[in-house]
Amino acid sequence: MGDEQKSAVGSASEAVNPVLRISQLDALELDSSLEQLMWSQFSQCFQNFRPGLLTPVEPELRALLHLLLWKFTLYPNSATVGQSILNVRYHNTLSTSPRYRPLSRRQKLGLALLTVGPRWLQERSHNFLVAFGLGPSGAEEGDAVKIGLRNCFSFMSSVVQFANLFNFLVFLQKGQHPVLAERIVGARAVFSKPNVVRDISYQYMNRELLWHGFAEFLMFFLPLINTHKIKTAIYSTIFGRHSEKGEGRGGEAPWKECGFCGEWPTMPHTVGCRHVFCYYCIKSHSIADAYLTCPKCGAEAGQPLPVVMELEER
């Protein structure tokens, strides 16, 4: 009697508190991230082999990894890794019982095949078309059969894409079956335990959203700041006076070192003041800053001109 009451309460809570759309989409993203992580770890095992070793069989290996995940997650628990983290699991909508019913073996197998199969066919479609002589160069203008088959494949691909788009629009309206394969096999996401706090809290999600928004703002704002000019002004303020004092006390002549790199000037040029710069230094800095000033004395930089030196013969 207690089990029946719990099942009735669970079914009532599922009707009152349906799974949020964002939770279902988050579960899909977590599953995709797990697949990418497994593939990256698997590919690192072959990093010392010759490049391109896994490329010919990459679609098959990805499908095999997905089936392994299905074997150890969805098959025994009727829930993927992402769904388990978010307290969600699949419910068998083909059952007439009001209580929760896990997916049948046939539904689990169909969900795996409908998820892995289309992805594998899409990655291998080009090779199949070339193998059957249906590629762009294989089908000649006079061969109407091959052209018709190629157009048929293109039409089927367009139909599948349109069906996925239509299913997603229905999901946005109804809040069920974000993936077409779930709708076909009759699998619906429900809460595993009602009134349970999410393992990934909204506070963490809000923090991530704020950080991503701040990072995007910095990516937009930083290119607008002339950091080169600020750096030049600071360099001129801190080191300019010191260099002028050193020159006034009998230090090295200003033409013996570049004002930017501090090395012996290569192809020395001047910009109107008494300091000398390497040609490539002054050219690159003038391209980066249209209002360039001398980092030594702060004078406005004019057109770079080569330095003419007179050598005394002894």
Side-chain angles (χ1 to χ4, degrees):
M1 192 66 183
D3 295 339
E4 294 179 358
Q5 290 179 354
K6 290 181 181 180
S7 63
V9 171
S11 60
S13 63
E14 292 172 3
V16 176
N17 299 321
V19 180
L20 297 176
R21 296 172 178 83
I22 187 63
S23 297
Q24 300 182 53
L25 295 178
D26 284 344
L28 294 176
E29 288 295 329
L30 290 173
D31 294 335
S32 178
S33 300
L34 178 61
E35 291 180 14
Q36 292 295 332
L37 179 61
M38 289 190 59
W39 174 253
S40 62
Q41 295 296 324
F42 178 76
S43 58
Q44 285 182 2
C45 299
F46 299 87
Q47 61 181 355
N48 295 325
F49 292 81
R50 62 179 180 83
L53 178 64
L54 301 180
T55 303
V57 292
E58 181 175 345
E60 288 75 17
L61 292 176
R62 287 183 178 273
L64 180 61
L65 287 177
H66 186 90
L67 291 177
L68 287 176
L69 282 176
W70 168 83
K71 178 65 173 64
F72 293 104
T73 57
L74 181 62
Y75 185 76
N77 302 322
S78 293
T80 62
V81 176
Q83 289 178 336
S84 300
I85 294 175
L86 299 177
N87 186 34
V88 178
R89 60 182 176 179
Y90 279 128
H91 169 64
N92 185 1
T93 59
L94 302 180
S95 176
T96 58
S97 175
R99 302 171 57 184
Y100 168 77
R101 285 289 182 269
L103 299 181
S104 63
R105 184 178 300 179
R106 183 176 299 179
Q107 287 177 311
K108 296 175 183 178
L109 182 60
L111 192 61
L113 294 179
L114 291 177
T115 303
V116 177
R119 187 186 308 174
W120 177 77
L121 286 176
Q122 183 179 4
E123 295 177 355
R124 282 299 186 188
S125 60
H126 178 73
N127 295 335
F128 287 153
L129 291 177
V130 173
F132 289 105
L134 303 178
S137 60
E140 301 178 356
E141 297 182 356
D143 197 344
V145 177
K146 292 185 177 181
I147 294 176
L149 289 176
R150 189 179 64 186
N151 295 335
C152 182
F153 279 118
S154 301
F155 177 75
M156 292 175 59
S157 177
S158 301
V159 169
V160 172
Q161 294 179 2
F162 177 78
N164 289 325
L165 176 61
F166 182 77
N167 177 78
F168 187 75
L169 294 177
V170 175
F171 161 74
L172 293 179
Q173 182 181 6
K174 302 293 185 180
Q176 298 178 3
H177 309 297
V179 181
L180 184 60
E182 298 178 5
R183 190 180 299 275
I184 294 175
V185 301
R188 179 167 58 89
V190 296
F191 284 114
S192 301
K193 299 178 182 179
N195 301 326
V196 175
V197 181
R198 288 164 51 108
D199 292 339
I200 300 179
S201 63
Y202 289 103
Q203 182 179 2
Y204 172 79
M205 295 179 64
N206 292 335
R207 184 176 60 190
E208 290 295 318
L209 290 175
L210 288 174
W211 170 248
H212 284 294
F214 181 69
E216 291 179 358
F217 171 75
L218 290 180
M219 293 176 61
F220 170 77
F221 182 70
L222 287 180
L224 302 179
I225 301 176
N226 193 343
T227 55
H228 176 75
K229 189 172 184 178
I230 297 175
K231 180 180 178 181
T232 303
I234 295 175
Y235 184 85
S236 177
T237 303
I238 298 176
F239 301 101
R241 297 177 182 177
H242 177 73
S243 60
E244 289 178 1
K245 291 180 181 179
E247 293 170 4
R249 294 177 183 176
E252 294 186 352
W255 52 268
K256 288 187 177 181
E257 66 176 12
C258 173
F260 287 107
C261 64
E263 302 293 337
W264 188 275
T266 303
M267 300 174 62
H269 278 64
T270 182
V271 292
C273 60
R274 61 192 184 92
H275 297 98
V276 179
F277 309 92
C278 299
Y279 171 75
Y280 296 104
C281 290
I282 190 62
K283 198 66 177 178
S284 59
H285 283 78
S286 61
I287 292 175
D289 186 5
Y291 303 97
L292 182 65
T293 57
C294 176
K296 297 291 187 180
C297 60
E300 295 184 1
Q303 186 69 21
L305 299 174
V307 177
V308 179
M309 298 182 181
E310 296 181 359
L311 301 177
E312 297 180 358
E313 297 182 0
R314 295 182 180 181

